[in-house]
Amino acid sequence: MLSRCSAVDAQTFADQYWGRRPLLSSAVDLPRDFSDLLSPGAVDELIAERGIRAPFIRLARDGEVLAKDCYLGAAGFGAEIGDQVDSAKVLAELAAGATVVLQGLHRLWPPLIDFIRDAVDDLGHPAQANAYITPPDSRGFDPHYDVHDVFVLQVSGQKRWVVHEPVHTHPLPSQPWTRHRAAIDERVQTDPVIDTVLNAGDALYLPRGWLHAAQALDTTSIHLTVGVSATTALDVARTVLDELSTVETFRRSLPMGIAAADQDETLATVTKVMAEVVTALRDNAATLSTGAAVRLSDRYAGLTRPVAVRPLAALSAAADAEVDVCWRRGLVAGLDRSEGRVVLRLPDRTITFPASCAEALYALHRGEVVRAAALPGLDPADGAVLVRRLLKEAVVVPAAAR
């Protein structure tokens, strides 16, 4: 993914740009296009034929998000759902200068499903994809910042982008741009860091917090925005503190009346608890770190999705002892040996296996492609039984579907 979105190599991007400063990558320097990910024809297909529903679509014009009834309607007999897109209404709003935003395309459009899976693997952070379709000489949104990093990929047409330095660096999801309207209005009166026109094939990386505004020129502009929800040190700290819930001391009630105490008394209580936290972190560092790592892994698993399984293909493969299988890409899991068993810990459940399955499970977890009848450490019959269960549990998939 990075090789398509960045004019520099992955290591340079990680060291010099990630979370630090914008990067403009011109298709002139590194010829590319993004029409395989989305195209004008694909946009029409999504709007006209794919039954898109809110919140997978929204419209905006001149900084204002439009009411849903401007572009949604009933779907008719056999699909009595009132929040599907009305393509005729969308046409009318586009003609009037509205920007169409197709959201969550990594869940809807096959090329972007694969592309975002690659992005998550490359970046190690959750990612998603939206498309912005803006008619000529129009803009959808006022100058603002995002609370996630973005890669802007110009698909077709042209769009002018004006980028200014942050007024609030590294904003969290709880710190939206609307809290800093006055500072943003003042900052955008200064000289921009970037003022450029993106043409088809150009890409722009913006770390969260960088101010930006964009306007289509004399043709309809389509661009993709790959949003990346970066894990922060604060996220790690929160998982560590959450792990203190396993320590009885921190589950006890504070003295009666503490919420109504004067400021000095409240400060004394806060200072005392902070000292206890520091002591607990020091004395139980190994245990708390292990638990926090599990929580952080679960958090990541909750924000990402492994590749989808094809149920009928999986059931068919489960009956074939000669099928080649591999780990389901993107499935977060842990393997441990415990009391003569092998424990597979998934985000939503735990599965145990006989110790004899350990070698086969670890081989699959490493990403090896293995034939059901030739799993290491198991005879063909036992290997077929293990693969059958793993297929039905959506842990492995037929290798061709990886």
Coordinates of all heavy atoms in Angstrom, one line a residue, residues 161-216:
W161 N -5.8 21.8 -3.0 CA -5.6 21.5 -1.5 C -4.8 22.6 -0.9 O -3.7 22.9 -1.4 CB -5.0 20.2 -1.3 CG -6.0 19.0 -1.5 CD1 -6.4 18.5 -2.7 CD2 -6.6 18.3 -0.5 NE1 -7.3 17.5 -2.5 CE2 -7.5 17.4 -1.1 CE3 -6.6 18.4 0.9 CZ2 -8.3 16.5 -0.4 CZ3 -7.5 17.5 1.6 CH2 -8.3 16.6 1.0
V162 N -5.3 23.2 0.2 CA -4.5 24.2 0.9 C -4.3 23.7 2.3 O -5.3 23.4 3.0 CB -5.2 25.5 0.9 CG1 -4.4 26.6 1.7 CG2 -5.5 26.0 -0.5
V163 N -3.1 23.5 2.8 CA -2.7 22.9 4.0 C -2.0 23.9 4.9 O -1.0 24.5 4.5 CB -1.9 21.6 3.8 CG1 -1.5 21.0 5.1 CG2 -2.6 20.7 2.9
H164 N -2.4 24.0 6.2 CA -1.7 24.8 7.2 C -1.3 24.0 8.4 O -1.8 22.9 8.6 CB -2.7 25.9 7.7 CG -2.9 27.0 6.7 ND1 -3.9 26.9 5.7 CD2 -2.4 28.3 6.5 CE1 -3.9 28.0 4.9 NE2 -3.0 28.9 5.4
E165 N -0.3 24.6 9.1 CA 0.2 23.9 10.3 C -0.9 23.8 11.3 O -1.9 24.5 11.3 CB 1.4 24.6 10.9 CG 2.6 24.5 10.0 CD 3.8 25.2 10.6 OE1 3.7 25.8 11.7 OE2 4.9 25.0 10.1
P166 N -0.8 22.8 12.3 CA -1.8 22.6 13.3 C -2.0 23.7 14.2 O -1.0 24.5 14.5 CB -1.3 21.3 14.0 CG -0.3 20.7 13.1 CD 0.3 21.8 12.3
V167 N -3.2 23.9 14.7 CA -3.4 24.7 15.9 C -3.5 23.9 17.2 O -3.5 24.4 18.3 CB -4.7 25.6 15.7 CG1 -4.6 26.5 14.5 CG2 -5.9 24.7 15.6
H168 N -3.7 22.6 17.0 CA -3.7 21.7 18.1 C -3.1 20.4 17.6 O -3.6 19.6 16.8 CB -5.2 21.4 18.6 CG -5.3 20.5 19.7 ND1 -4.8 20.8 21.0 CD2 -5.8 19.2 19.8 CE1 -5.1 19.8 21.8 NE2 -5.7 18.8 21.1
T169 N -1.8 20.1 18.1 CA -1.1 19.0 17.5 C -1.5 17.7 18.1 O -2.0 17.6 19.2 CB 0.4 19.2 17.9 OG1 0.6 19.3 19.3 CG2 1.0 20.4 17.2
H170 N -1.4 16.7 17.3 CA -1.8 15.3 17.6 C -3.1 15.2 18.3 O -3.2 14.6 19.4 CB -0.7 14.7 18.5 CG 0.7 14.8 17.9 ND1 1.1 14.2 16.7 CD2 1.8 15.5 18.4 CE1 2.3 14.5 16.5 NE2 2.8 15.3 17.5
P171 N -4.2 15.7 17.8 CA -5.5 15.6 18.4 C -6.0 14.2 18.6 O -5.8 13.3 17.8 CB -6.4 16.4 17.5 CG -5.8 16.3 16.1 CD -4.3 16.3 16.4
L172 N -6.7 14.0 19.7 CA -7.3 12.7 20.0 C -8.8 12.7 19.4 O -9.3 13.8 19.1 CB -7.4 12.5 21.5 CG -6.0 12.5 22.2 CD1 -6.2 12.4 23.7 CD2 -5.2 11.3 21.7
P173 N -9.4 11.6 19.3 CA -10.8 11.6 18.8 C -11.7 12.4 19.7 O -12.7 12.9 19.2 CB -11.2 10.1 18.9 CG -9.9 9.4 18.8 CD -8.8 10.2 19.5
S174 N -11.4 12.6 20.9 CA -12.2 13.5 21.8 C -11.9 14.9 21.7 O -12.5 15.8 22.4 CB -12.0 13.0 23.3 OG -10.7 13.2 23.7
Q175 N -11.0 15.3 20.7 CA -10.6 16.7 20.6 C -10.9 17.2 19.1 O -9.9 17.5 18.4 CB -9.1 16.9 21.0 CG -8.9 16.4 22.4 CD -7.4 16.3 22.7 OE1 -6.6 16.0 21.8 NE2 -7.0 16.6 23.9
P176 N -12.1 17.3 18.7 CA -12.4 17.7 17.3 C -12.1 19.1 17.0 O -11.9 19.9 17.9 CB -13.9 17.4 17.2 CG -14.4 17.6 18.6 CD -13.3 17.1 19.5
W177 N -12.0 19.4 15.7 CA -11.6 20.7 15.2 C -12.6 21.8 15.7 O -12.2 23.0 15.8 CB -11.5 20.7 13.7 CG -12.7 20.6 12.9 CD1 -13.4 19.4 12.6 CD2 -13.6 21.6 12.4 NE1 -14.5 19.7 11.9 CE2 -14.7 21.0 11.8 CE3 -13.5 23.0 12.5 CZ2 -15.7 21.8 11.2 CZ3 -14.5 23.8 11.8 CH2 -15.5 23.1 11.2
T178 N -13.9 21.4 15.9 CA -14.9 22.4 16.2 C -14.6 23.1 17.6 O -15.1 24.2 17.8 CB -16.2 21.7 16.3 OG1 -16.2 20.6 17.1 CG2 -16.7 21.4 14.9
R179 N -13.7 22.5 18.4 CA -13.3 23.2 19.6 C -12.3 24.3 19.4 O -12.0 25.1 20.3 CB -12.6 22.2 20.6 CG -13.6 21.1 21.1 CD -12.8 20.3 22.1 NE -13.7 19.2 22.7 CZ -13.3 18.4 23.7 NH1 -12.0 18.5 24.1 NH2 -14.1 17.5 24.2
H180 N -11.8 24.4 18.2 CA -10.7 25.4 17.9 C -11.1 26.3 16.7 O -10.2 26.7 15.9 CB -9.4 24.7 17.6 CG -9.0 23.8 18.8 ND1 -8.3 24.3 19.9 CD2 -9.1 22.5 19.0 CE1 -8.0 23.3 20.7 NE2 -8.5 22.2 20.2
R181 N -12.3 26.6 16.5 CA -12.8 27.3 15.3 C -12.0 28.7 15.2 O -11.6 29.0 14.1 CB -14.3 27.6 15.4 CG -15.1 26.3 15.1 CD -16.6 26.7 15.2 NE -17.5 25.5 15.1 CZ -17.9 25.0 14.0 NH1 -17.6 25.5 12.8 NH2 -18.7 23.9 14.0
A182 N -12.0 29.4 16.3 CA -11.3 30.7 16.2 C -9.9 30.6 15.8 O -9.4 31.4 15.0 CB -11.5 31.5 17.5
A183 N -9.2 29.7 16.4 CA -7.7 29.5 16.1 C -7.5 29.1 14.7 O -6.6 29.5 14.0 CB -7.1 28.5 17.1
I184 N -8.5 28.2 14.2 CA -8.4 27.8 12.8 C -8.6 28.9 11.8 O -7.9 29.1 10.8 CB -9.3 26.6 12.5 CG1 -8.9 25.4 13.3 CG2 -9.5 26.3 11.0 CD1 -9.9 24.2 13.3
D185 N -9.6 29.7 12.1 CA -9.9 30.9 11.3 C -8.7 31.8 11.2 O -8.5 32.4 10.1 CB -11.2 31.6 11.8 CG -12.5 30.9 11.6 OD1 -12.5 29.9 10.8 OD2 -13.4 31.2 12.3
E186 N -8.0 32.0 12.3 CA -6.9 32.9 12.3 C -5.7 32.2 11.5 O -5.0 32.9 10.8 CB -6.5 33.1 13.7 CG -5.3 34.1 13.9 CD -5.0 34.4 15.3 OE1 -5.8 34.1 16.2 OE2 -3.8 34.9 15.6
R187 N -5.5 30.9 11.7 CA -4.3 30.3 11.1 C -4.5 30.2 9.6 O -3.5 30.4 8.9 CB -4.2 28.8 11.7 CG -3.1 28.0 11.0 CD -1.7 28.6 11.2 NE -1.4 28.9 12.6 CZ -0.9 28.0 13.5 NH1 -0.7 26.8 13.1 NH2 -0.7 28.4 14.7
V188 N -5.7 30.0 9.1 CA -5.8 29.9 7.6 C -5.6 31.3 6.9 O -5.6 31.3 5.7 CB -7.2 29.3 7.2 CG1 -7.3 27.9 7.8 CG2 -8.3 30.1 7.7
Q189 N -5.5 32.3 7.7 CA -5.2 33.6 7.1 C -3.7 33.8 6.8 O -3.2 34.7 6.1 CB -5.7 34.8 8.0 CG -7.2 34.8 8.2 CD -8.0 34.7 7.0 OE1 -7.7 35.5 6.0 NE2 -9.0 33.8 7.0
T190 N -2.9 32.9 7.3 CA -1.4 32.9 7.2 C -1.0 32.1 5.9 O -1.8 31.4 5.3 CB -0.7 32.3 8.4 OG1 -1.0 30.9 8.5 CG2 -1.1 33.1 9.7
D191 N 0.3 32.2 5.6 CA 0.8 31.4 4.4 C 0.7 29.9 4.6 O 1.0 29.4 5.7 CB 2.2 31.8 4.1 CG 2.4 33.2 3.7 OD1 1.4 33.8 3.1 OD2 3.5 33.8 3.8
P192 N 0.1 29.2 3.7 CA 0.0 27.7 3.8 C 1.3 27.0 3.7 O 2.3 27.5 3.1 CB -0.9 27.3 2.7 CG -0.7 28.4 1.6 CD -0.4 29.7 2.4
V193 N 1.4 25.8 4.2 CA 2.5 24.9 4.0 C 2.5 24.3 2.7 O 3.5 24.1 2.0 CB 2.5 23.8 5.1 CG1 3.7 22.8 4.9 CG2 2.7 24.5 6.5
I194 N 1.3 24.0 2.2 CA 1.1 23.4 0.9 C -0.1 24.1 0.2 O -1.2 24.3 0.9 CB 0.8 21.9 1.0 CG1 2.0 21.1 1.5 CG2 0.3 21.3 -0.4 CD1 1.8 19.6 1.7
D195 N 0.0 24.5 -1.0 CA -1.1 25.0 -1.8 C -0.8 24.4 -3.2 O 0.0 24.9 -4.0 CB -1.0 26.5 -1.8 CG -2.2 27.1 -2.6 OD1 -2.9 26.4 -3.3 OD2 -2.5 28.4 -2.4
T196 N -1.6 23.4 -3.5 CA -1.3 22.7 -4.7 C -2.6 22.1 -5.3 O -3.6 22.0 -4.6 CB -0.3 21.5 -4.4 OG1 0.1 20.9 -5.7 CG2 -1.0 20.4 -3.6
V197 N -2.5 21.7 -6.6 CA -3.6 21.1 -7.3 C -3.3 19.6 -7.4 O -2.2 19.3 -8.0 CB -3.9 21.7 -8.6 CG1 -4.9 20.9 -9.4 CG2 -4.4 23.1 -8.5
L198 N -4.1 18.7 -6.9 CA -3.9 17.3 -7.1 C -4.5 16.9 -8.4 O -5.7 17.1 -8.6 CB -4.5 16.5 -5.9 CG -3.9 16.6 -4.5 CD1 -4.5 15.6 -3.6 CD2 -2.4 16.5 -4.6
N199 N -3.8 16.2 -9.2 CA -4.2 15.6 -10.5 C -4.4 14.1 -10.3 O -3.9 13.5 -9.3 CB -3.3 15.9 -11.6 CG -3.2 17.4 -11.9 OD1 -4.1 18.0 -12.4 ND2 -2.0 18.0 -11.5
A200 N -5.0 13.5 -11.2 CA -5.2 12.0 -11.1 C -3.9 11.3 -10.9 O -2.9 11.6 -11.7 CB -5.9 11.5 -12.4
G201 N -3.8 10.5 -9.9 CA -2.6 9.8 -9.6 C -1.7 10.4 -8.5 O -0.8 9.8 -8.0
D202 N -2.0 11.7 -8.2 CA -1.3 12.3 -7.1 C -1.8 11.8 -5.7 O -2.9 11.4 -5.6 CB -1.4 13.8 -7.2 CG -0.8 14.4 -8.4 OD1 0.1 13.8 -9.0 OD2 -1.1 15.6 -8.7
A203 N -0.9 11.9 -4.7 CA -1.2 11.5 -3.4 C -0.7 12.5 -2.4 O 0.3 13.1 -2.6 CB -0.7 10.1 -3.1
L204 N -1.4 12.6 -1.3 CA -1.0 13.6 -0.2 C -1.3 12.9 1.1 O -2.4 12.4 1.4 CB -1.9 14.8 -0.3 CG -1.7 15.9 0.8 CD1 -0.3 16.5 0.8 CD2 -2.8 17.0 0.6
Y205 N -0.2 12.9 1.9 CA -0.3 12.4 3.3 C -0.4 13.5 4.3 O 0.4 14.5 4.2 CB 0.9 11.5 3.7 CG 1.0 11.2 5.1 CD1 0.1 10.4 5.8 CD2 2.0 11.8 5.9 CE1 0.2 10.2 7.2 CE2 2.1 11.6 7.3 CZ 1.2 10.8 7.9 OH 1.3 10.6 9.3
L206 N -1.4 13.5 5.2 CA -1.6 14.5 6.2 C -1.6 13.8 7.6 O -2.6 13.0 7.8 CB -2.8 15.3 6.0 CG -2.9 16.2 4.7 CD1 -4.3 16.8 4.6 CD2 -1.8 17.3 4.7
P207 N -0.7 14.1 8.5 CA -0.9 13.7 9.8 C -2.1 14.3 10.5 O -2.5 15.4 10.1 CB 0.4 14.1 10.5 CG 1.4 14.5 9.4 CD 0.5 14.9 8.3
R208 N -2.6 13.6 11.5 CA -3.8 14.2 12.2 C -3.4 15.6 12.8 O -2.3 15.8 13.2 CB -4.3 13.3 13.2 CG -3.3 12.9 14.3 CD -3.8 11.7 15.1 NE -2.7 11.1 15.8 CZ -2.5 11.2 17.1 NH1 -3.4 12.0 17.8 NH2 -1.5 10.7 17.7
G209 N -4.4 16.5 12.7 CA -4.2 17.8 13.2 C -3.8 18.9 12.2 O -4.0 20.1 12.5
W210 N -3.3 18.5 11.0 CA -2.9 19.5 10.0 C -4.2 20.0 9.4 O -5.1 19.3 8.9 CB -2.0 18.8 9.0 CG -0.6 18.7 9.6 CD1 -0.2 17.7 10.5 CD2 0.5 19.5 9.3 NE1 1.1 17.9 10.8 CE2 1.6 19.0 10.1 CE3 0.8 20.6 8.5 CZ2 2.9 19.6 10.1 CZ3 2.0 21.2 8.5 CH2 3.1 20.7 9.3
L211 N -4.3 21.3 9.3 CA -5.5 22.0 8.8 C -5.5 21.8 7.2 O -4.4 21.9 6.6 CB -5.5 23.5 9.1 CG -5.4 23.8 10.6 CD1 -5.4 25.3 10.8 CD2 -6.5 23.2 11.4
H212 N -6.7 21.6 6.7 CA -6.8 21.5 5.2 C -8.1 21.9 4.7 O -9.1 21.8 5.5 CB -6.4 20.1 4.8 CG -7.3 19.0 5.4 ND1 -7.0 18.5 6.7 CD2 -8.4 18.4 5.0 CE1 -7.9 17.6 7.0 NE2 -8.8 17.5 6.0
A213 N -8.2 22.4 3.5 CA -9.4 22.6 2.8 C -9.2 22.3 1.3 O -8.1 22.4 0.8 CB -9.8 24.1 3.0
A214 N -10.2 21.9 0.7 CA -10.1 21.4 -0.7 C -11.3 21.9 -1.6 O -12.4 21.9 -1.1 CB -9.9 19.9 -0.8
Q215 N -11.0 22.2 -2.8 CA -12.0 22.7 -3.7 C -11.8 22.1 -5.1 O -10.6 22.1 -5.6 CB -12.1 24.2 -3.8 CG -13.2 24.7 -4.8 CD -13.6 26.1 -4.5 OE1 -13.3 26.7 -3.4 NE2 -14.1 26.8 -5.5
A216 N -12.8 21.5 -5.7 CA -12.7 21.0 -7.1 C -12.5 22.2 -8.1 O -13.0 23.3 -7.8 CB -14.0 20.2 -7.5

